[in-house]
Amino acid sequence: MRHCKHCNATIKGEWEQCPLCRTTLDEAVDPVLPDPYPKIPLRFNKEIVWKYLTLISFVLIIAFLLIELIWIGRMENLQLALFGIMSMWLSVLILIRKRRNIAKGIVYLIVSLSLLCIYLDYLSGWSGWSTTYAVPIICSFAIVSLYIAVRLVNLGVRDYVLYLLTAAMLGLLPALFLTLDWVTTPLPASLSVMMSAVTLVIILLYHGGEIWRELEKRMHV
């Protein structure tokens, strides 16, 4: 068995870090005992996931090319289809990788999709649609989706409160866009800032204690 100095607890199983605070455990001094909580992997088949993602990607590309050629007669916006496919792959891969922590996965999606939108806006000549619409909408609806997700899977407050706090803080980023005049229409950015500010106040008022305890645990204070 191993011992955690931070939690002052004895840990059974082949843990390298404490499952409570993530502190590196002392070297085992007693024979390693079986883990009382066996690891049960989530059931999904990677091959099926890649197969369906690849098939959907090809279908989307062909459909987009047909629409461009038949109805529009040009292929200038092929990068939009590629962007959508990249977003789909990124979303699925992140959620699979972070499937044991849905809240963290959603925060990763906020950052990744926002950066993708800004990059595509830059490639297309920068019209400001990413900072005007995409990023504020992603941030706003991510807060809602995060709340729905944690309710559906019945996560404890401590399992998601830091990620909800992070999502709310990211939702304040459009305030910078407004300040720098990077938006053509202020409404989406303003709504994102207001929703995030209200969420931030509610979190700090109702879960301030849990936030501080989680920070202490993760920073080994």
Side-chain angles (χ1 to χ4, degrees):
M1 292 187 294
R2 295 189 172 188
H3 183 75
C4 176
K5 294 180 179 179
H6 185 265
C7 300
N8 193 25
T10 300
I11 311 298
K12 296 181 180 180
E14 299 179 356
W15 294 86
E16 296 293 335
Q17 294 180 324
C18 176
L20 299 176
C21 67
R22 300 302 177 187
T23 301
T24 301
L25 300 175
D26 295 337
E27 292 295 328
V29 294
D30 296 324
V32 177
L33 297 178
D35 193 336
Y37 303 103
K39 296 180 181 180
I40 303 175
L42 296 180
R43 295 182 178 178
F44 78 97
N45 191 316
K46 289 184 179 180
E47 294 182 358
I48 294 178
V49 172
W50 307 145
K51 178 181 177 181
Y52 277 105
L53 281 177
T54 304
L55 177 61
I56 293 173
S57 299
F58 279 117
V59 170
L60 287 175
I61 291 175
I62 293 173
F64 192 87
L65 287 175
L66 289 175
I67 292 172
E68 288 280 303
L69 290 173
I70 296 174
W71 282 280
I72 302 178
R74 54 188 174 86
M75 299 193 324
E76 296 177 356
N77 296 320
L78 180 60
Q79 58 186 356
L80 292 176
L82 296 178
F83 170 73
I85 293 170
M86 288 168 57
S87 301
M88 178 186 68
W89 275 84
L90 184 63
S91 301
V92 174
L93 292 177
I94 287 177
L95 289 177
I96 289 175
R97 183 175 177 80
K98 301 298 178 183
R99 64 189 182 278
R100 299 183 186 278
N101 195 325
I102 296 175
K104 182 187 291 187
I106 292 176
V107 172
Y108 274 51
L109 281 175
I110 297 174
V111 176
S112 303
L113 292 178
S114 297
L115 291 176
L116 271 176
C117 289
I118 293 174
Y119 181 63
L120 179 63
D121 197 1
Y122 170 76
L123 288 180
S124 60
W126 189 260
S127 61
W129 64 265
S130 60
T131 51
T132 301
Y133 299 105
V135 176
I137 290 173
I138 289 172
C139 292
S140 300
F141 282 92
I143 295 175
V144 177
S145 63
L146 179 53
Y147 179 80
I148 293 173
V150 298
R151 291 299 177 184
L152 288 176
V153 297
N154 294 320
L155 289 179
V157 174
R158 294 185 181 181
D159 294 326
Y160 71 84
V161 67
L162 287 183
Y163 302 111
L164 184 57
L165 179 66
T166 303
M169 293 177 67
L170 289 173
L172 296 176
L173 185 61
L176 178 63
F177 303 158
L178 290 170
T179 303
L180 299 176
D181 197 25
W182 288 356
V183 299
T184 56
T185 302
L187 181 60
S190 300
L191 290 176
S192 174
V193 172
M194 287 189 293
M195 178 183 294
S196 300
V198 171
T199 303
L200 196 59
V201 170
I202 293 175
I203 294 172
L204 294 176
L205 285 177
Y206 288 93
H207 303 299
E210 287 86 352
I211 292 174
W212 180 250
R213 283 189 287 272
E214 282 297 302
L215 289 174
E216 286 183 330
K217 183 173 69 176
R218 293 169 187 263
M219 300 177 67
H220 311 305
V221 177

